[in-house]
Structures are given as C-alpha cells and as structure tokens.
Amino acid sequence: MPSNGSNRTSSGRSRSGVRAGQTIIDTFEIDSAKRRAKIVGILAGVFAGLVGFAIALTVKDGAAAFLLAVVVAFATGFVAAGLVLIWPGLRMAWHWAGELVVLALVVTVWALLNAWAGPLVALGATLLLVGVPWLFRPVCRFLVRWAWCMIVRHRIRVACDAFIEGKGVRGSVMPLILWARPTDSGERVWLWLRGDLTLDDLRDRLTELASVCWAHEASAEMAGSKAAYVVVDIRRRDVLAEGVAMPVTEMLEGIDPDSYPVEYRRVDDSEGVDLTPESVNAELDALLGTKGGRKPRQRKADDGQTTAPDENPDEGDMPAWV
C-alpha cells in the first residue's frame, strides 16, 4: 500500500537510507526475507509434521510415529526457511550469472595453465586468450553485443528499483530479470514482474528507462499470456537509418533512359491479321472458355421486372446489356 509519499520501512528508517550502506544486496530485502523465512518455515514444518504423522501411523506405533513426524517437521521447516532466507542471494547471483560464468572460465584456464607451466606463463597466456579475440572485428562485435546484454540487465534493475521507490511502496518486491539477448537494434530483456511494478508502470516511464540504459528508445510488451511476463526492447541504434548499399544504382549508372525508346507499331489489315469484330469476339470467347457466343446478362427495370437484352446491341456506342 502507498505510504503517502513517506518511503519508510517498518522500523521507521527510510529505504534510501537503508540502501546507503549496502553495495550488493539491499538490507531492506534481507530483513524482509528473514520475516518471510520465519513464516514459511513454521507453515511448512506444521504441514509436513501432520502429513508425516498420518503416514507414520500406518507403520509405527503412536510414540514412534510422533517422534518421526517431529523430525520431518523440523527438517522441512529448516529447509523451507533456508531457501526463503537465501533467495535474495540467489537472485543476485542470477543477476550476475554472466559475469560469474566468465570469471569462472578465466580462473579455470589460469589454474590449468598454472599447474602445467607456472604462474608467469599462465598469466601471460591467459591475458593473450582474453585480449587477442578483441582484435578481430567480427569477434569483437560479438563480444560487445553480449557485453551490452549483461550491462542492460543491471541497468534495468536500477531503473525498476527507482520506479518502485518513486511509488512509495512498502515491502516492495523487485522484478526478476530472467535473461537477455542481443538484437540488430540493441538488446531484448525478459522480466517477471511481481506486484509492485506493472507493465503500465513501465510503459509510462519508457523515456526514463531508455535514459538509464544509455539508449535512445525503449519499449515494453507482454511476452506471453501472463501480465507479469514482460519483454523489454532497448534500442540504441536505428538500423533503418544506417547507410545501406544499393547495387541497383551502380548498375544503372551511365545509362541514358532515352537511349531505349519504346516503339509502337500499328497493325493494319494488309499484314493478314483478321481484326473484324466477329474474329475478335471469337478469340475472346476462346480465351474466356465460353462456347456458342457470350450470353448477355439480363437487366432489371425500375419496377423490378426482368427485361430481355436489347435486340440490336450494335446500336449506339455500347450495348445496353454491358
């Protein structure tokens, strides 16, 4: 619920003040995760204990079944509470998944080379493996596009945090940034919105979103049948405005259009071509697939009665049944 512009936590501290001392995981989110972990742990333990006790009674006596149910309840409660408690860390690890994978690969390569040739050789070889691919233009373009995908995921997270804070929502839940991939005009990012931020909120602040992502335009649409599943397109270049080579203009260069005049030739009867109306009509009937001549359509008079076609269609400029 909105807090009438006062963006404060349950302890009375402003959320921006709580975030001032954190660098990776928001302290506000950690406190919220602790509260949810207690609730989820108790509920999961009670449910698992009751179900375990009912099942244990079928194979054990009352005291043994009760002890087994207590063990199951405590184990289930601790596991559920632990998952909820570490969720902010798991979500943050997912946001940094690309960077962590690259770092793990670099460290692995260095460790293998260090075990084989020593630390100095391993360091030099690792630097070569990391730096040389950037010298090749196609590889560099590929790496830059995917690097922008990792950067945009963090920028969208910062923008969503600012949008939620601007709404003055207590107990806010950040959207889950799923994945991103490069496009011809920029990047495409998929989000899973959760309550405190909606698709309409994103559409109302697309200019701010593009500015935070260091782009010139952004758009947001539903990615599926669920309103929470959203795709955001970040456009940082206009592919249609870029210069496109037109080989047709080069092919036509130096050609004078007047050098190819169109000649029209009049066909007369002296060339042996039958141009009489009967011959032309016969040719038309053959092309149209009609036999025995074309049958004129009947026309209706003003009073609704059907009248026969004119007997002399040749009179006047055009037959009346045409």
Side-chain angles (χ1 to χ4, degrees):
M1 296 296 293
S3 58
N4 299 325
S6 61
N7 189 19
R8 294 182 175 274
T9 63
S10 59
S11 60
R13 295 174 297 172
S14 65
R15 191 171 179 224
S16 58
V18 172
R19 285 205 313 270
Q22 60 88 23
T23 55
I24 298 179
I25 302 177
D26 195 343
T27 307
F28 177 82
E29 296 181 5
I30 295 178
D31 296 337
S32 179
K34 290 179 180 179
R35 292 192 298 268
R36 292 196 303 267
K38 293 178 182 178
I39 298 173
V40 171
I42 293 173
L43 294 178
V46 172
F47 179 78
L50 293 176
V51 174
F53 182 70
I55 296 175
L57 282 177
T58 60
V59 295
K60 300 287 184 178
D61 56 0
F66 178 76
L67 292 176
L68 183 60
V70 170
V71 173
V72 171
F74 273 98
T76 305
F78 276 115
V79 171
L83 291 176
V84 175
L85 185 61
I86 67 175
W87 169 247
L90 293 177
R91 188 177 63 184
M92 185 58 60
W94 173 255
H95 288 167
W96 290 85
E99 292 83 349
L100 293 177
V101 170
V102 173
L103 180 61
L105 290 176
V106 173
V107 172
T108 301
V109 170
W110 178 85
L112 294 176
L113 293 175
N114 184 32
W116 175 61
L120 295 179
V121 176
L123 180 60
T126 303
L127 292 177
L128 288 177
L129 291 176
V130 173
V132 169
W134 294 88
L135 300 178
F136 299 94
R137 188 175 182 83
V139 180
C140 180
R141 187 183 301 112
F142 174 82
L143 295 176
V144 168
R145 294 178 67 182
W146 280 102
W148 270 114
C149 290
M150 292 187 288
I151 294 173
V152 163
R153 294 176 79 242
H154 298 295
R155 302 308 301 170
I156 289 181
R157 178 176 176 271
V158 172
C160 292
D161 193 10
F163 296 163
I164 293 176
E165 183 180 356
K167 295 175 65 176
V169 180
R170 286 185 178 180
S172 59
V173 180
M174 290 290 295
L176 182 62
I177 302 175
L178 299 177
W179 55 83
R181 70 172 180 85
T183 61
D184 293 336
S185 59
E187 298 81 35
R188 178 168 294 176
V189 186
W190 283 264
L191 309 177
W192 185 265
L193 305 179
R194 295 181 293 172
D196 297 326
L197 197 64
T198 63
L199 178 59
D200 293 334
D201 295 333
L202 292 178
R203 287 175 174 173
D204 292 339
R205 308 190 67 173
L206 290 177
T207 303
E208 292 90 335
L209 182 61
S211 177
V212 173
C213 295
W214 306 324
H216 75 274
E217 188 180 0
S219 63
E221 299 293 339
M222 289 180 56
S225 59
K226 304 296 183 181
Y229 188 33
V230 176
V231 58
V232 177
D233 281 308
I234 304 297
R235 302 183 183 91
R236 58 185 72 256
R237 52 186 173 272
D238 190 359
V239 294
L240 298 179
E242 296 178 356
V244 180
M246 298 294 293
V248 178
T249 57
E250 298 179 358
M251 295 170 59
L252 297 178
E253 186 178 357
I255 298 178
D256 185 9
D258 298 332
S259 62
Y260 297 91
V262 180
E263 297 182 358
Y264 297 93
R265 185 169 57 90
R266 182 180 178 84
V267 179
D268 51 15
D269 297 339
S270 62
E271 298 184 8
V273 179
D274 189 2
L275 299 178
T276 59
E278 293 79 7
S279 176
V280 173
N281 290 335
E283 292 293 334
L284 290 176
D285 293 338
L287 292 174
L288 297 176
T290 58
K291 295 182 179 180
R294 291 174 293 175
K295 183 179 179 180
R297 293 184 299 175
Q298 294 180 346
R299 58 186 176 89
K300 293 184 179 181
D302 296 338
D303 57 357
Q305 299 295 327
T306 303
T307 60
D310 295 341
E311 297 296 335
N312 299 321
D314 294 335
E315 294 180 358
D317 296 336
M318 184 178 295
W321 50 268
V322 175

